[in-house]
Amino acid sequence: MIRQTKKLFLGLFSLGAVFVIAGCGQNQASDQNANNAQQAQQEQKDSNNIAGEWESVYELESIQKAFSPFKMNSYTLKKFIETFKDFKMKLSVDGTNAKLSYQYDSKKFAKAYYDISKDKKKMTEDAFVSRYINGQTEFVQNFKKYKASMDTSTGTYSYEATGTVDESAKTVTFDEGLIILDSFPLTTAGKDHRFDPATYNYEVKDGILTIYADMKTKDNLPVHFELTFKRVPSAEKK
């Protein structure tokens, strides 16, 4: 009888310990969720405050706008845009300092470029891609303030632009403009001014940050550049 009572007591004690541990786990999870919700509300309170970490959305629409100043037929445009389906940008804002960055496998674009190039008749795809990558290696040396590089072993192009945020004017001025690879600047300035500072407007609506600029080509045609971002949730920040 005493032995059975002891077993019953130990069983109840173990069961109680399980409930206590489970309760603590639930409380910790609830506290974490509450903290995340509170921080999210604080971030949404002032929609004009763009401080923090952002990641790009609607990338293909942005890419298409970057292509718009160039005269491309529908086939070429489709080929080029498809190579950017996994393209992502990151934006970090700390006070008045902004950094916009991306990494991209440039071999994808080089292969699409080869497919429509006249050089297709006189050189192999591998030779064309290699030449393209080497050309990017030379191009990144033009940047004086940005961090840009080409990994020739993988074809990965890395780019980090720096800029200044003016909250009162709702603008971001990037020190050497913005450009995708060496071919698609987000400006209508000529080649001699491709690395000049460029100012873009910004606005936040429904949680989406849009950085944009309306410009005109040398033929006086309107061009609209646009990059869109969503805020990285606080819990995901490293």
Side-chain angles (χ1 to χ4, degrees):
M1 182 69 178
I2 294 174
R3 185 177 299 173
Q4 290 177 347
T5 302
K6 183 181 292 186
K7 287 182 178 179
L8 178 62
F9 174 76
L10 290 174
L12 290 174
F13 178 80
S14 299
L15 183 61
V18 168
F19 282 127
V20 169
I21 294 172
C24 290
Q26 290 177 349
N27 288 337
Q28 289 176 352
S30 298
D31 291 343
Q32 183 64 42
N33 291 336
N35 289 337
N36 291 342
Q38 185 176 7
Q39 195 152 5
Q41 289 176 355
Q42 185 65 32
E43 289 173 346
Q44 294 174 0
K45 201 177 225 184
D46 183 5
S47 61
N48 292 324
N49 177 14
I50 63 172
E53 307 295 325
W54 301 79
E55 60 183 7
S56 62
V57 292
Y58 315 130
E59 293 86 3
L60 294 186
E61 294 180 16
S62 298
I63 294 294
Q64 188 166 352
K65 288 180 172 65
F67 290 172
S68 62
F70 302 90
K71 296 178 180 179
M72 297 184 192
N73 60 45
S74 58
Y75 176 78
T76 300
L77 181 63
K78 183 175 182 296
K79 290 285 291 185
F80 283 0
I81 287 180
E82 284 178 350
T83 68
F84 286 93
K85 63 182 180 180
D86 298 321
F87 183 77
K88 300 293 290 185
M89 285 184 168
K90 294 181 180 180
L91 176 69
S92 175
V93 179
D94 183 7
T96 60
N97 299 316
K99 288 184 180 180
L100 184 148
S101 62
Y102 64 83
Q103 285 190 327
Y104 175 69
D105 181 0
S106 66
K107 290 186 293 185
K108 295 178 180 179
F109 179 77
K111 290 178 180 179
Y113 193 7
Y114 173 76
D115 195 49
I116 58 95
S117 173
K118 295 178 181 179
D119 290 334
K120 189 175 182 179
K121 297 179 180 179
K122 59 183 180 182
M123 62 192 309
T124 65
E125 182 183 84
D126 287 344
F128 184 91
V129 170
S130 179
R131 187 182 71 177
Y132 180 84
I133 289 174
N134 289 332
Q136 297 296 316
T137 302
E138 295 176 6
F139 172 75
V140 297
Q141 297 175 12
N142 290 295
F143 294 109
K144 306 303 180 187
K145 298 182 179 180
Y146 292 178
K147 294 179 181 178
S149 62
M150 168 61 78
D151 185 335
T152 56
S153 63
T154 63
T156 300
Y157 181 93
S158 300
Y159 174 89
E160 182 182 274
T162 54
T164 304
V165 177
D166 185 336
E167 286 191 5
S168 60
K170 292 186 180 179
T171 61
V172 185
T173 300
F174 287 96
D175 298 326
E176 295 180 284
L178 292 175
I179 189 169
I180 298 171
L181 300 177
D182 67 343
S183 303
F184 305 108
L186 273 66
T187 176
T188 56
K191 288 186 177 181
D192 292 341
H193 298 281
R194 185 167 287 185
F195 301 98
D196 289 356
T199 299
Y200 302 82
N201 302 299
Y202 75 81
E203 65 177 6
V204 181
K205 184 177 181 181
D206 298 328
I208 299 297
L209 167 63
T210 303
I211 295 176
Y212 66 96
D214 291 294
M215 303 179 184
K216 289 188 176 182
T217 66
K218 61 181 181 180
D219 298 322
N220 206 36
L221 297 175
V223 178
H224 180 77
F225 296 108
E226 184 176 294
L227 301 174
T228 50
F229 300 85
K230 67 177 181 180
R231 191 182 289 277
V232 176
S234 301
E236 297 180 14
K237 295 177 184 175
K238 301 296 183 182

